[in-house]
Amino acid sequence: MTAQKTVLVIGGSSDIGHATALRYAQAGWQVALAARDLTTAQRNADDVKARTGVEVLVHELDVLQTDGLAEFVTRLTTLPDTVISMIGELGDQKRAETDLAHATQIMRTNFEAPSLLLGLFANAFQARGSGTLVGVSSVAGDRGRGSNYVYGAAKAGFSQFLSGLRNRMALAGNVRVITVKPGFVRTRMTAHLKLPAPLTVMPERVAADIYRSAEENGREVIYVGRRFWLVMTIICLIPEALFKRLKL
Ligand SMILES: NC(=O)c1ccc[n+]([C@@H]2O[C@H](COP(=O)([O-])OP(=O)(O)OC[C@H]3O[C@@H](n4cnc5c(N)ncnc54)[C@H](OP(=O)(O)O)[C@@H]3O)[C@@H](O)[C@H]2O)c1
């Protein structure tokens, strides 16, 4: 009998994290969540258990407390087979233009903290000789736009970190690094925004794509939805002289 595989979802209070935990549990994995909001994470864990019978462990973790990240990794009783970072904060672009503390928090939450944490898991996976890392980034990192460039720049940094880590791990044995770039997803992060229906997906779709790419087909950089890949390809091709005149 093969041992049951384990996944750790960091940002276990998030809507996409909840859907992803459920997807893995449905596939027979052991699931753990890490979150700073233990009430919501426990509610998600209870829901996954009610629907699948899988007992879900919940760990407390504030990723901005970066001094504690190494200890968090070493204290886990089981090093997971797959680690997924859902960490993110959209923030308020207008506020971030003048409030440096807010801009700093968006940058640290979307870039610094998840990069440091996945980097630590990469070292542990390299020492073991196996593992899969999944970083949920965003299409917002593909090109800086006036309406959300603080978040977008941080996601761009995270995508590049994952790219470099994948490059390093390719020469280091059986450790895989997956970058996930959702477009518009209907979650509490976007609840206050009017999203274009044809381009908007539900968290379950992101979860299914994460599972497929991490555990089945092996694609390492994915856009959630071909349509969004096309949209971003066009946006990236617009010449700068024209792009800077657009209100995007
Ligand atoms: N929704 C979209 O349209 C969309 C599009 C592209 C990419 N994404 C990305 O998808 C991921 C999941 O987002 P979502 O839509 O499901 O929104 P969400 O529910 O707001 O998820 C964000 C998660 O990050 C966690 N987090 C933030 N700072 C943290 C910290 N210091 N320590 C621990 N956890 C922290 C939040 O925890 P708390 O509950 O404690 O705040 C929450 O679990 C994010 O990386 C987001 O950037 C979303």
Side-chain angles (χ1 to χ4, degrees):
M1 202 179 100
T2 50
Q4 198 181 18
K5 292 194 156 191
T6 57
V7 61
L8 171 66
V9 179
I10 301 161
S13 57
S14 81
D15 292 341
I16 301 175
H18 179 195
T20 303
L22 181 62
R23 177 68 189 87
Y24 273 81
Q26 284 166 337
W29 286 57
Q30 250 176 26
V31 180
L33 306 177
R36 68 178 165 185
D37 173 0
L38 290 180
T39 308
T40 306
Q42 191 57 57
R43 197 184 315 130
N44 291 345
D46 293 345
D47 178 66
V48 170
K49 173 149 193 235
R51 296 216 238 166
T52 63
V54 172
E55 194 78 53
V56 178
L57 266 177
V58 178
H59 303 283
E60 186 167 13
L61 179 67
D62 180 343
V63 294
L64 290 181
Q65 309 287 325
T66 50
D67 285 352
L69 295 181
E71 196 187 343
F72 173 78
V73 175
T74 52
R75 283 177 71 113
L76 288 173
T77 45
T78 309
L79 183 62
D81 295 283
T82 296
V83 171
I84 305 174
S85 170
M86 296 289 168
I87 297 297
E89 179 177 342
L90 187 57
D92 177 337
Q93 168 66 33
K94 273 277 153 247
R95 181 177 157 202
E97 288 165 17
T98 51
D99 178 344
L100 294 195
H102 186 54
T104 302
Q105 172 149 330
I106 296 170
M107 292 175 185
R108 292 192 66 219
T109 303
N110 291 289
F111 172 44
E112 179 189 297
S115 300
L116 294 176
L117 188 51
L118 291 191
L120 289 166
F121 276 110
N123 296 342
F125 285 178
Q126 184 176 11
R128 181 178 63 188
S130 69
T132 300
L133 294 161
V134 180
V136 178
S137 186
S138 171
V139 297
D142 282 9
R143 190 162 190 180
R145 290 179 292 118
S147 59
N148 76 342
Y149 63 85
V150 177
Y151 172 79
K155 286 296 194 187
F158 186 45
S159 294
Q160 292 303 326
F161 183 92
L162 294 170
S163 169
L165 195 59
R166 178 161 47 249
N167 196 226
R168 178 187 144 207
M169 288 296 124
L171 305 174
N174 191 24
V175 179
R176 299 172 56 235
V177 180
I178 314 280
T179 307
V180 179
K181 297 184 183 184
F184 296 128
V185 190
R186 204 169 296 286
T187 67
R188 75 187 154 123
M189 181 182 273
T190 53
H192 61 295
L193 302 173
K194 204 167 173 335
L195 302 179
L199 288 175
T200 303
V201 299
M202 298 303 286
E204 292 73 20
R205 167 68 191 277
V206 187
D209 284 10
I210 288 175
Y211 187 84
R212 193 175 313 113
S213 116
E215 315 304 341
E216 292 174 351
N217 74 12
R219 280 177 51 218
E220 292 173 328
V221 181
I222 61 162
Y223 286 79
V224 180
R226 292 287 295 168
R227 281 183 192 172
F228 239 105
W229 172 80
L230 186 63
V231 168
M232 293 318 296
T233 302
I234 294 166
I235 285 181
C236 289
L237 285 172
I238 299 172
E240 191 64 24
L242 172 61
F243 190 74
K244 69 183 182 188
R245 291 171 196 280
L246 302 177
K247 204 165 177 294
L248 287 172

